[in-house]
Coordinates of all heavy atoms in Angstrom, one line a residue:
M198 N 77.1 99.0 87.0 CA 77.9 97.9 87.6 C 78.4 98.4 89.0 O 78.7 99.6 89.1 CB 79.1 97.6 86.7 CG 80.0 96.6 87.4 SD 81.4 96.1 86.4 CE 82.2 97.6 86.0
I199 N 78.4 97.5 89.9 CA 78.8 97.8 91.3 C 80.1 96.9 91.5 O 80.1 95.8 91.2 CB 77.8 97.4 92.3 CG1 76.4 97.9 92.0 CG2 78.3 97.7 93.7 CD1 76.3 99.4 92.1
V200 N 81.1 97.6 92.0 CA 82.4 96.8 92.4 C 82.5 96.9 93.9 O 82.4 97.9 94.5 CB 83.6 97.5 91.7 CG1 84.9 96.8 92.1 CG2 83.5 97.5 90.2
N201 N 82.7 95.7 94.5 CA 82.9 95.7 95.9 C 84.3 95.1 96.2 O 84.8 94.3 95.4 CB 81.9 94.9 96.7 CG 82.0 93.4 96.5 OD1 81.8 92.8 95.5 ND2 82.3 92.7 97.6
T202 N 85.0 95.7 97.2 CA 86.3 95.3 97.5 C 86.5 95.1 99.0 O 85.7 95.7 99.8 CB 87.4 96.4 97.1 OG1 87.1 97.6 97.8 CG2 87.3 96.7 95.6
S203 N 87.5 94.3 99.4 CA 87.9 94.2 100.8 C 89.4 93.8 100.8 O 89.8 92.9 100.1 CB 87.1 93.1 101.5 OG 87.4 93.0 102.8
R204 N 90.1 94.5 101.6 CA 91.5 94.2 101.8 C 91.6 93.4 103.1 O 91.0 93.7 104.1 CB 92.4 95.5 102.0 CG 92.4 96.3 100.7 CD 93.4 97.5 100.9 NE 93.3 98.3 99.7 CZ 93.9 98.1 98.6 NH1 94.6 97.1 98.4 NH2 93.7 99.0 97.6
I205 N 92.4 92.3 103.0 CA 92.5 91.4 104.1 C 93.9 91.0 104.4 O 94.7 90.7 103.4 CB 91.7 90.1 103.8 CG1 90.2 90.4 103.5 CG2 91.8 89.0 104.9 CD1 89.6 89.5 102.5
T206 N 94.3 91.0 105.6 CA 95.6 90.5 106.0 C 95.4 89.3 107.0 O 94.9 89.5 108.1 CB 96.5 91.6 106.7 OG1 96.6 92.6 105.7 CG2 97.9 91.0 107.0
V207 N 95.8 88.1 106.6 CA 95.6 86.9 107.5 C 96.8 86.7 108.3 O 97.9 87.1 108.0 CB 95.2 85.7 106.6 CG1 93.9 85.9 105.9 CG2 96.3 85.3 105.7
Y208 N 96.5 85.9 109.4 CA 97.6 85.5 110.2 C 98.5 84.5 109.4 O 97.9 83.7 108.7 CB 97.1 84.8 111.5 CG 96.4 85.6 112.4 CD1 95.0 85.5 112.6 CD2 97.0 86.6 113.2 CE1 94.3 86.3 113.4 CE2 96.3 87.4 114.1 CZ 94.9 87.3 114.2 OH 94.2 88.1 115.0
P209 N 99.8 84.6 109.4 CA 100.6 83.7 108.6 C 100.3 82.2 108.7 O 100.2 81.5 107.8 CB 102.0 84.0 109.0 CG 102.0 85.4 109.5 CD 100.6 85.6 110.2
E210 N 100.1 81.8 110.0 CA 99.8 80.4 110.2 C 98.4 80.0 109.7 O 98.0 78.8 109.7 CB 100.0 80.0 111.7 CG 99.0 80.7 112.6 CD 99.4 82.1 113.1 OE1 100.3 82.7 112.5 OE2 98.7 82.6 114.0
K211 N 97.5 81.0 109.4 CA 96.2 80.7 108.9 C 96.0 80.9 107.4 O 94.9 80.7 106.9 CB 95.2 81.6 109.7 CG 95.1 81.4 111.2 CD 94.6 80.1 111.5 CE 94.5 79.9 113.0 NZ 93.9 78.6 113.4
R212 N 97.1 81.3 106.7 CA 97.0 81.6 105.3 C 96.5 80.4 104.5 O 95.6 80.6 103.6 CB 98.4 82.0 104.8 CG 98.4 82.4 103.3 CD 99.9 82.9 102.9 NE 99.8 83.3 101.6 CZ 100.1 82.5 100.5 NH1 100.4 81.2 100.8 NH2 100.0 82.9 99.3
A213 N 97.0 79.2 104.6 CA 96.5 78.1 103.8 C 95.0 77.8 104.1 O 94.3 77.6 103.1 CB 97.3 76.9 104.2
E214 N 94.6 77.9 105.3 CA 93.2 77.7 105.6 C 92.3 78.8 104.9 O 91.2 78.5 104.4 CB 93.0 77.7 107.1 CG 91.6 77.4 107.6 CD 91.4 77.4 109.1 OE1 92.5 77.4 109.8 OE2 90.3 77.2 109.5
F215 N 92.8 80.0 105.0 CA 92.0 81.1 104.4 C 91.9 80.9 102.9 O 90.8 81.0 102.3 CB 92.7 82.4 104.7 CG 92.1 83.6 103.9 CD1 90.8 84.1 104.3 CD2 92.7 84.2 102.8 CE1 90.2 85.2 103.6 CE2 92.1 85.2 102.2 CZ 90.9 85.7 102.6
L216 N 93.0 80.6 102.2 CA 93.0 80.4 100.8 C 92.2 79.2 100.4 O 91.5 79.3 99.3 CB 94.5 80.2 100.2 CG 95.3 81.5 100.4 CD1 96.8 81.2 99.9 CD2 94.8 82.6 99.6
Q217 N 92.2 78.1 101.1 CA 91.4 77.0 100.9 C 89.9 77.3 101.0 O 89.1 76.9 100.1 CB 91.7 75.8 101.8 CG 90.9 74.6 101.6 CD 91.2 73.5 102.5 OE1 92.1 73.6 103.4 NE2 90.5 72.3 102.4
T218 N 89.5 78.1 102.0 CA 88.1 78.5 102.2 C 87.7 79.3 101.0 O 86.6 79.1 100.4 CB 88.0 79.2 103.5 OG1 88.4 78.4 104.6 CG2 86.5 79.7 103.7
V219 N 88.5 80.3 100.6 CA 88.1 81.2 99.5 C 88.0 80.4 98.2 O 87.1 80.6 97.4 CB 89.1 82.4 99.4 CG1 88.8 83.2 98.2 CG2 89.0 83.3 100.6
A220 N 89.0 79.5 98.0 CA 89.0 78.7 96.8 C 87.7 77.9 96.6 O 87.2 77.8 95.5 CB 90.2 77.8 96.7
E221 N 87.2 77.4 97.7 CA 85.9 76.6 97.7 C 84.7 77.5 97.4 O 83.7 77.0 97.0 CB 85.8 75.8 99.0 CG 86.8 74.7 99.1 CD 86.7 74.0 100.4 OE1 85.7 74.2 101.2 OE2 87.6 73.2 100.7
L222 N 84.8 78.8 97.8 CA 83.7 79.7 97.6 C 83.6 80.5 96.3 O 82.6 80.9 95.9 CB 83.7 80.7 98.8 CG 83.4 80.2 100.2 CD1 83.7 81.2 101.2 CD2 81.9 79.7 100.2
I223 N 84.8 80.6 95.6 CA 84.8 81.4 94.4 C 83.8 81.0 93.4 O 83.0 81.9 92.9 CB 86.3 81.4 93.8 CG1 87.2 82.1 94.7 CG2 86.3 82.0 92.4 CD1 87.2 83.6 94.7
E224 N 83.7 79.8 93.0 CA 82.8 79.4 91.9 C 81.4 79.5 92.3 O 80.6 80.0 91.6 CB 83.1 78.0 91.4 CG 84.4 77.9 90.7 CD 84.6 78.9 89.5 OE1 83.6 79.0 88.7 OE2 85.6 79.5 89.4
P225 N 81.0 79.1 93.6 CA 79.6 79.3 94.0 C 79.2 80.8 94.0 O 78.1 81.2 93.5 CB 79.5 78.7 95.4 CG 80.5 77.7 95.4 CD 81.7 78.3 94.5
I226 N 80.1 81.7 94.4 CA 79.8 83.1 94.4 C 79.7 83.6 93.0 O 78.8 84.4 92.7 CB 80.9 83.9 95.2 CG1 80.8 83.5 96.7 CG2 80.8 85.4 95.0 CD1 81.9 84.1 97.6
K227 N 80.6 83.2 92.1 CA 80.5 83.6 90.7 C 79.2 83.2 90.1 O 78.7 83.8 89.1 CB 81.7 83.0 89.9 CG 83.0 83.7 90.1 CD 84.1 83.1 89.3 CE 85.4 83.8 89.4 NZ 86.4 83.2 88.6
G228 N 78.6 82.1 90.6 CA 77.3 81.7 90.1 C 76.1 82.4 90.7 O 75.0 82.1 90.3
S229 N 76.3 83.3 91.6 CA 75.2 84.1 92.2 C 74.6 85.0 91.2 O 75.3 85.5 90.3 CB 75.8 84.9 93.4 OG 76.3 84.1 94.4
K230 N 73.3 85.2 91.3 CA 72.6 86.1 90.4 C 73.3 87.5 90.4 O 73.5 88.1 91.4 CB 71.1 86.3 90.9 CG 70.3 87.2 90.0 CD 68.9 87.4 90.6 CE 68.2 88.4 89.9 NZ 68.7 89.8 90.0
G231 N 73.6 87.9 89.2 CA 74.1 89.3 89.0 C 75.6 89.4 89.2 O 76.2 90.5 89.0
C232 N 76.3 88.3 89.6 CA 77.8 88.4 89.8 C 78.4 88.3 88.4 O 78.3 87.3 87.7 CB 78.3 87.2 90.7 SG 80.0 87.3 91.0
L233 N 79.2 89.4 88.1 CA 79.9 89.4 86.8 C 81.2 88.8 87.0 O 81.7 88.1 86.0 CB 80.0 90.9 86.4 CG 78.7 91.6 86.2 CD1 78.9 93.1 85.9 CD2 77.9 91.0 85.1
T234 N 81.9 89.0 88.1 CA 83.2 88.3 88.4 C 83.5 88.5 89.9 O 82.9 89.3 90.6 CB 84.3 89.0 87.5 OG1 85.5 88.2 87.7 CG2 84.6 90.4 87.9
F235 N 84.3 87.6 90.4 CA 84.7 87.6 91.8 C 86.1 87.0 91.9 O 86.3 85.8 91.4 CB 83.7 86.8 92.6 CG 83.8 87.0 94.1 CD1 83.1 88.1 94.7 CD2 84.6 86.2 94.9 CE1 83.2 88.3 96.0 CE2 84.7 86.5 96.2 CZ 84.0 87.5 96.8
H236 N 87.1 87.7 92.4 CA 88.5 87.3 92.4 C 89.1 87.6 93.7 O 88.8 88.6 94.4 CB 89.3 87.9 91.3 CG 88.8 87.5 89.9 ND1 89.1 86.3 89.4 CD2 88.1 88.2 89.0 CE1 88.6 86.2 88.2 NE2 87.9 87.4 87.9
L237 N 90.1 86.8 94.1 CA 91.0 87.1 95.2 C 92.4 87.3 94.6 O 92.9 86.5 93.9 CB 91.1 85.9 96.2 CG 92.1 86.1 97.3 CD1 91.6 87.1 98.3 CD2 92.3 84.7 98.0
Y238 N 93.0 88.4 94.9 CA 94.4 88.7 94.5 C 95.3 88.8 95.7 O 94.9 89.4 96.7 CB 94.4 90.1 93.8 CG 93.6 90.1 92.5 CD1 92.3 90.6 92.6 CD2 94.1 89.6 91.3 CE1 91.5 90.6 91.4 CE2 93.3 89.6 90.2 CZ 92.0 90.1 90.2 OH 91.3 90.1 89.1
V239 N 96.5 88.1 95.6 CA 97.4 88.1 96.7 C 98.5 89.1 96.4 O 99.0 89.2 95.3 CB 98.0 86.7 96.9 CG1 99.1 86.7 98.0 CG2 96.9 85.7 97.2
D240 N 98.9 89.9 97.4 CA 99.9 90.9 97.3 C 101.3 90.2 97.1 O 101.7 89.4 97.9 CB 100.0 91.8 98.6 CG 100.9 93.0 98.5 OD1 102.0 92.9 97.9 OD2 100.5 94.0 99.1
V241 N 102.0 90.6 96.0 CA 103.3 90.0 95.7 C 104.4 90.3 96.7 O 105.4 89.6 96.8 CB 103.8 90.3 94.3 CG1 102.8 89.7 93.3 CG2 104.0 91.8 94.1
T242 N 104.2 91.4 97.5 CA 105.2 91.8 98.5 C 104.9 91.3 99.9 O 105.7 91.4 100.8 CB 105.5 93.3 98.5 OG1 104.2 93.9 98.8 CG2 105.9 93.8 97.1
D243 N 103.6 90.8 100.1 CA 103.2 90.3 101.4 C 102.2 89.2 101.1 O 101.0 89.5 100.9 CB 102.6 91.4 102.2 CG 102.1 91.0 103.6 OD1 102.2 89.7 103.9 OD2 101.6 91.8 104.3
E244 N 102.6 88.0 101.1 CA 101.7 86.9 100.8 C 100.5 86.7 101.7 O 99.6 86.0 101.4 CB 102.5 85.6 100.7 CG 103.1 85.1 102.0 CD 103.9 83.8 101.8 OE1 104.3 83.5 100.7 OE2 104.2 83.2 102.9
N245 N 100.6 87.4 102.9 CA 99.5 87.3 103.8 C 98.4 88.4 103.6 O 97.4 88.4 104.3 CB 100.0 87.3 105.2 CG 100.9 86.2 105.5 OD1 100.6 85.0 105.2 ND2 102.1 86.5 106.0
S246 N 98.7 89.3 102.7 CA 97.7 90.3 102.4 C 97.0 90.0 101.0 O 97.7 89.6 100.1 CB 98.4 91.7 102.3 OG 98.9 92.0 103.5
S247 N 95.7 90.2 101.0 CA 94.9 89.9 99.8 C 93.9 91.0 99.6 O 93.6 91.8 100.4 CB 94.2 88.6 100.0 OG 95.0 87.5 100.3
L248 N 93.4 91.0 98.3 CA 92.3 91.9 98.0 C 91.2 91.1 97.3 O 91.5 90.3 96.3 CB 92.8 93.0 97.0 CG 91.8 93.9 96.5 CD1 91.2 94.8 97.6 CD2 92.4 94.8 95.4
L249 N 90.0 91.1 97.8 CA 88.8 90.5 97.2 C 88.1 91.5 96.4 O 87.9 92.7 96.8 CB 87.9 90.0 98.3 CG 88.1 88.7 98.9 CD1 87.2 88.5 100.1 CD2 87.9 87.5 97.9
I250 N 87.8 91.2 95.1 CA 87.1 92.1 94.3 C 85.9 91.4 93.6 O 86.1 90.3 93.0 CB 88.0 92.7 93.1 CG1 89.1 93.5 93.8 CG2 87.2 93.6 92.2 CD1 90.1 94.0 92.7
G251 N 84.7 91.9 93.8 CA 83.6 91.4 93.1 C 82.9 92.4 92.3 O 82.9 93.6 92.6
E252 N 82.3 92.0 91.1 CA 81.6 93.0 90.3 C 80.2 92.4 90.1 O 80.0 91.2 89.9 CB 82.3 93.1 88.9 CG 83.6 93.7 89.0 CD 84.3 93.8 87.6 OE1 83.7 93.5 86.6 OE2 85.5 94.2 87.6
W253 N 79.2 93.3 90.3 CA 77.8 92.9 90.4 C 77.0 93.8 89.4 O 77.3 95.0 89.2 CB 77.3 93.1 91.8 CG 78.1 92.3 92.7 CD1 79.2 92.7 93.4 CD2 77.8 90.9 93.1 NE1 79.7 91.6 94.1 CE2 78.9 90.5 94.0 CE3 76.8 90.0 92.8 CZ2 78.9 89.3 94.5 CZ3 76.9 88.7 93.3 CH2 77.9 88.4 94.2
E254 N 76.0 93.2 88.8 CA 75.2 94.0 87.8 C 74.4 95.1 88.5 O 74.4 96.2 88.0 CB 74.2 93.0 87.2 CG 74.8 92.1 86.2 CD 73.8 91.2 85.4 OE1 72.6 91.6 85.3 OE2 74.2 90.1 85.0
T255 N 73.9 94.8 89.7 CA 73.1 95.9 90.4 C 73.4 95.9 91.9 O 73.9 94.9 92.4 CB 71.6 95.6 90.2 OG1 71.2 94.4 90.9 CG2 71.2 95.5 88.7
E256 N 73.0 96.9 92.5 CA 73.1 97.0 94.0 C 72.3 95.9 94.7 O 72.7 95.4 95.7 CB 72.8 98.4 94.4 CG 73.0 98.6 95.9 CD 72.8 100.1 96.3 OE1 72.6 100.9 95.5 OE2 72.8 100.3 97.6
S257 N 71.1 95.7 94.1 CA 70.2 94.6 94.6 C 70.9 93.3 94.6 O 70.8 92.5 95.5 CB 68.9 94.6 93.8 OG 68.1 93.6 94.3
D258 N 71.6 93.0 93.5 CA 72.4 91.7 93.4 C 73.4 91.6 94.5 O 73.6 90.6 95.1 CB 73.0 91.5 92.0 CG 72.0 91.4 90.9 OD1 70.9 90.9 91.2 OD2 72.3 91.8 89.8
L259 N 74.2 92.7 94.7 CA 75.2 92.7 95.7 C 74.5 92.5 97.1 O 75.0 91.7 97.9 CB 76.0 94.0 95.7 CG 76.9 94.3 96.8 CD1 78.0 93.1 96.9 CD2 77.6 95.6 96.7
N260 N 73.4 93.2 97.4 CA 72.8 93.1 98.7 C 72.3 91.6 98.9 O 72.3 91.1 100.0 CB 71.6 94.1 98.8 CG 72.1 95.5 99.0 OD1 73.2 95.7 99.5 ND2 71.4 96.4 98.5
D261 N 71.8 91.0 97.8 CA 71.3 89.6 97.9 C 72.5 88.7 98.3 O 72.4 87.8 99.2 CB 70.7 89.1 96.6 CG 69.4 89.7 96.4 OD1 68.7 90.3 97.3 OD2 68.9 89.6 95.2
Y262 N 73.7 88.9 97.7 CA 74.9 88.2 98.0 C 75.3 88.4 99.5 O 75.7 87.5 100.2 CB 76.0 88.6 97.1 CG 77.4 88.3 97.6 CD1 77.8 87.0 97.8 CD2 78.3 89.3 98.0 CE1 79.1 86.7 98.3 CE2 79.5 89.1 98.5 CZ 79.9 87.7 98.6 OH 81.2 87.5 99.2
L263 N 75.2 89.7 100.0 CA 75.6 90.0 101.4 C 74.7 89.3 102.4 O 75.0 89.1 103.5 CB 75.6 91.5 101.6 CG 76.6 92.3 100.8 CD1 76.4 93.8 101.1 CD2 78.0 91.8 101.2
R264 N 73.5 88.8 101.9 CA 72.6 88.1 102.8 C 72.7 86.6 102.6 O 72.0 85.8 103.2 CB 71.2 88.5 102.6 CG 70.9 89.9 103.1 CD 69.4 90.3 103.0 NE 69.0 90.4 101.6 CZ 69.0 91.6 100.9 NH1 69.4 92.7 101.4 NH2 68.5 91.6 99.7
S265 N 73.6 86.1 101.7 CA 73.7 84.7 101.4 C 74.6 83.9 102.4 O 75.4 84.4 103.1 CB 74.3 84.6 100.0 OG 75.7 84.9 100.0
A266 N 74.4 82.6 102.3 CA 75.2 81.7 103.1 C 76.7 81.7 102.7 O 77.6 81.7 103.5 CB 74.7 80.2 103.0
D267 N 76.9 81.9 101.4 CA 78.3 82.0 100.9 C 79.0 83.2 101.5 O 80.2 83.1 102.0 CB 78.4 82.1 99.4 CG 78.0 80.8 98.7 OD1 78.2 79.7 99.3 OD2 77.6 80.8 97.6
F268 N 78.4 84.3 101.6 CA 79.0 85.5 102.2 C 79.2 85.3 103.7 O 80.2 85.7 104.3 CB 78.1 86.8 102.0 CG 78.8 88.0 102.7 CD1 79.9 88.6 102.2 CD2 78.2 88.5 103.9 CE1 80.5 89.6 102.9 CE2 78.8 89.5 104.5 CZ 79.9 90.1 104.0
A269 N 78.2 84.6 104.4 CA 78.3 84.4 105.8 C 79.6 83.5 106.1 O 80.3 83.8 107.0 CB 77.1 83.7 106.3
I270 N 79.8 82.5 105.3 CA 81.0 81.7 105.4 C 82.3 82.5 105.2 O 83.2 82.4 105.9 CB 80.9 80.5 104.5 CG1 79.8 79.5 104.9 CG2 82.3 79.7 104.5 CD1 79.4 78.5 103.8
L271 N 82.3 83.3 104.1 CA 83.4 84.1 103.8 C 83.7 85.1 104.9 O 84.9 85.3 105.3 CB 83.2 84.8 102.4 CG 84.3 85.8 102.0 CD1 85.6 85.0 101.8 CD2 83.9 86.5 100.7
H272 N 82.7 85.8 105.3 CA 82.8 86.8 106.4 C 83.4 86.1 107.7 O 84.2 86.6 108.4 CB 81.5 87.5 106.7 CG 81.6 88.6 107.6 ND1 81.3 88.4 109.0 CD2 82.1 89.8 107.5 CE1 81.5 89.6 109.6 NE2 82.0 90.4 108.7
G273 N 82.8 84.9 108.0 CA 83.3 84.2 109.2 C 84.8 83.8 109.0 O 85.6 84.0 110.0
A274 N 85.2 83.4 107.9 CA 86.6 83.0 107.6 C 87.5 84.3 107.8 O 88.6 84.2 108.4 CB 86.8 82.4 106.3
I275 N 87.1 85.4 107.2 CA 87.8 86.6 107.3 C 87.9 87.0 108.8 O 89.0 87.4 109.3 CB 87.2 87.8 106.5 CG1 87.3 87.4 105.0 CG2 87.8 89.1 106.8 CD1 86.5 88.3 104.1
T276 N 86.8 87.0 109.5 CA 86.8 87.4 110.9 C 87.8 86.5 111.8 O 88.5 87.0 112.6 CB 85.4 87.3 111.5 OG1 84.6 88.1 110.7 CG2 85.3 87.7 113.0
V277 N 87.8 85.2 111.6 CA 88.5 84.3 112.4 C 90.0 84.2 112.0 O 90.9 84.1 112.8 CB 87.9 82.9 112.3 CG1 88.8 81.8 113.0 CG2 86.5 82.9 113.0
L278 N 90.3 84.3 110.7 CA 91.6 84.0 110.2 C 92.4 85.2 109.9 O 93.6 85.1 109.6 CB 91.5 83.1 108.9 CG 90.7 81.8 109.0 CD1 90.5 81.2 107.7 CD2 91.4 80.9 110.0
S279 N 91.8 86.4 110.0 CA 92.6 87.6 109.6 C 93.0 88.4 110.8 O 92.2 88.4 111.8 CB 91.9 88.4 108.6 OG 90.8 89.1 109.2
R280 N 94.1 89.1 110.7 CA 94.4 90.0 111.8 C 94.0 91.4 111.5 O 93.9 92.3 112.3 CB 95.9 90.0 112.0 CG 96.8 90.4 110.9 CD 98.2 90.4 111.2 NE 98.9 90.6 109.9 CZ 100.2 90.5 109.8 NH1 100.9 90.1 110.8 NH2 100.8 90.8 108.7
R281 N 93.7 91.7 110.2 CA 93.2 93.0 109.8 C 92.4 92.8 108.5 O 92.8 92.2 107.6 CB 94.4 93.9 109.6 CG 94.0 95.3 109.2 CD 95.1 96.2 109.1 NE 95.9 95.8 107.9 CZ 97.2 95.8 107.9 NH1 97.9 96.2 108.9 NH2 97.9 95.5 106.8
S282 N 91.3 93.5 108.4 CA 90.5 93.6 107.2 C 89.8 94.9 107.2 O 89.4 95.4 108.2 CB 89.5 92.5 107.0 OG 88.5 92.6 107.9
S283 N 89.8 95.5 106.0 CA 89.1 96.8 105.9 C 87.6 96.6 105.7 O 87.2 95.5 105.4 CB 89.7 97.6 104.7 OG 89.4 97.0 103.5
D284 N 86.9 97.6 105.8 CA 85.5 97.5 105.6 C 85.3 97.1 104.1 O 86.1 97.4 103.3 CB 84.8 98.9 105.7 CG 84.8 99.4 107.2 OD1 84.7 98.5 108.1 OD2 84.8 100.6 107.4
F285 N 84.2 96.4 103.9 CA 83.8 96.1 102.6 C 83.3 97.4 101.9 O 82.5 98.1 102.5 CB 82.6 95.1 102.6 CG 83.0 93.7 103.0 CD1 83.1 93.4 104.3 CD2 83.4 92.7 102.1 CE1 83.6 92.1 104.7 CE2 83.8 91.5 102.4 CZ 83.9 91.2 103.8
K286 N 83.8 97.6 100.8 CA 83.5 98.9 100.0 C 82.8 98.5 98.7 O 83.0 97.5 98.1 CB 84.8 99.6 99.7 CG 85.7 100.0 100.8 CD 85.2 101.2 101.6 CE 86.2 101.5 102.7 NZ 85.7 102.5 103.6
A287 N 81.9 99.5 98.3 CA 81.3 99.3 97.0 C 81.5 100.6 96.2 O 81.4 101.7 96.8 CB 79.8 99.1 97.2
I288 N 81.8 100.4 95.0 CA 82.0 101.6 94.1 C 81.0 101.5 92.9 O 80.9 100.5 92.2 CB 83.4 101.6 93.5 CG1 84.5 101.5 94.7 CG2 83.7 102.8 92.6 CD1 85.9 101.2 94.2
A289 N 80.2 102.6 92.8 CA 79.3 102.7 91.7 C 79.3 104.1 91.2 O 79.2 105.1 92.0 CB 77.9 102.3 92.2
N290 N 79.4 104.3 89.9 CA 79.4 105.6 89.3 C 80.4 106.5 89.9 O 80.2 107.7 90.1 CB 78.0 106.3 89.4 CG 77.0 105.4 88.7 OD1 77.2 104.9 87.6 ND2 75.8 105.3 89.3
G291 N 81.6 105.9 90.3 CA 82.7 106.7 90.8 C 82.6 107.1 92.3 O 83.4 107.8 92.8
V292 N 81.5 106.6 92.9 CA 81.3 107.0 94.3 C 81.6 105.7 95.2 O 81.1 104.7 94.9 CB 79.8 107.5 94.6 CG1 79.6 107.7 96.0 CG2 79.6 108.7 93.7
T293 N 82.4 105.9 96.2 CA 82.8 104.8 97.1 C 81.9 104.8 98.4 O 81.8 105.9 99.0 CB 84.2 104.8 97.5 OG1 85.0 104.8 96.3 CG2 84.6 103.7 98.4
N294 N 81.3 103.7 98.7 CA 80.5 103.6 99.9 C 80.9 102.4 100.7 O 81.2 101.4 100.2 CB 79.0 103.5 99.6 CG 78.5 104.7 98.9 OD1 78.5 105.8 99.4 ND2 78.0 104.5 97.7
T295 N 80.8 102.5 102.1 CA 81.0 101.3 102.9 C 79.7 100.5 102.9 O 78.7 101.1 103.0 CB 81.3 101.8 104.4 OG1 82.5 102.5 104.4 CG2 81.5 100.6 105.3
I296 N 79.9 99.2 102.7 CA 78.7 98.3 102.6 C 78.3 98.0 104.0 O 79.2 97.6 104.9 CB 79.1 97.1 101.8 CG1 79.4 97.4 100.4 CG2 77.9 96.1 101.9 CD1 80.0 96.2 99.6
Q297 N 77.0 98.1 104.3 CA 76.5 97.7 105.6 C 76.3 96.2 105.5 O 75.6 95.6 104.7 CB 75.2 98.3 105.9 CG 75.2 99.8 106.0 CD 76.2 100.2 107.2 OE1 76.1 99.7 108.2 NE2 77.0 101.2 106.9
E298 N 77.1 95.4 106.4 CA 77.0 94.0 106.3 C 75.7 93.5 106.8 O 75.1 94.1 107.7 CB 78.2 93.4 107.1 CG 79.5 93.8 106.6 CD 80.7 93.3 107.4 OE1 80.5 92.3 108.1 OE2 81.7 94.0 107.4
A299 N 75.3 92.4 106.2 CA 74.0 91.8 106.6 C 74.1 91.1 107.9 O 75.1 90.7 108.4 CB 73.6 90.8 105.5

């Protein structure tokens, strides 16, 4: 199993737009080949900070997702609506790697 994560801090005035975009993408992403789960968690002490977590059966499944239209939309939303986001990370067998974006 591969776990990918991304920490995101959105502009306060863009929070609703970001959450709406992610809400529309969650189910299609969960339906992607090899996606075991995909969630967005909001920080209880900073409502503008979030953590995206996806779990994938294989690295190939994750790579396919990174080349998908759904990821392109999500990445665009993160780029436009956030003031800070960390690199996308993948964790497999206890090893953390930065994901090369498609």
Side-chain angles (χ1 to χ4, degrees):
M198 175 177 58
I199 309 293
V200 177
N201 75 292
T202 65
S203 182
R204 293 186 188 279
I205 303 150
T206 303
V207 297
Y208 296 108
E210 65 276 12
K211 300 293 186 177
R212 181 176 183 271
E214 185 178 352
F215 174 74
L216 293 175
Q217 180 180 0
T218 301
V219 173
E221 291 176 11
L222 291 170
I223 291 282
E224 290 308 314
I226 291 171
K227 285 181 178 180
S229 299
K230 178 184 174 292
C232 183
L233 302 172
T234 189
F235 196 86
H236 296 283
L237 174 73
Y238 298 96
V239 177
D240 187 323
V241 297
T242 62
D243 179 0
E244 66 182 15
N245 298 311
S246 293
S247 303
L248 177 66
L249 277 170
I250 299 177
E252 295 178 7
W253 303 87
E254 287 183 28
T255 68
E256 186 174 350
S257 176
D258 293 331
L259 173 59
N260 288 331
D261 288 345
Y262 159 69
L263 293 175
R264 290 188 291 271
S265 73
D267 289 334
F268 177 75
I270 294 166
L271 178 62
H272 186 261
I275 291 169
T276 300
V277 171
L278 304 174
S279 71
R280 61 180 174 189
R281 183 178 67 221
S282 67
S283 66
D284 293 329
F285 289 83
K286 304 281 185 189
I288 304 165
N290 300 321
V292 178
T293 302
N294 295 300
T295 299
I296 297 172
Q297 296 300 317
E298 296 177 28

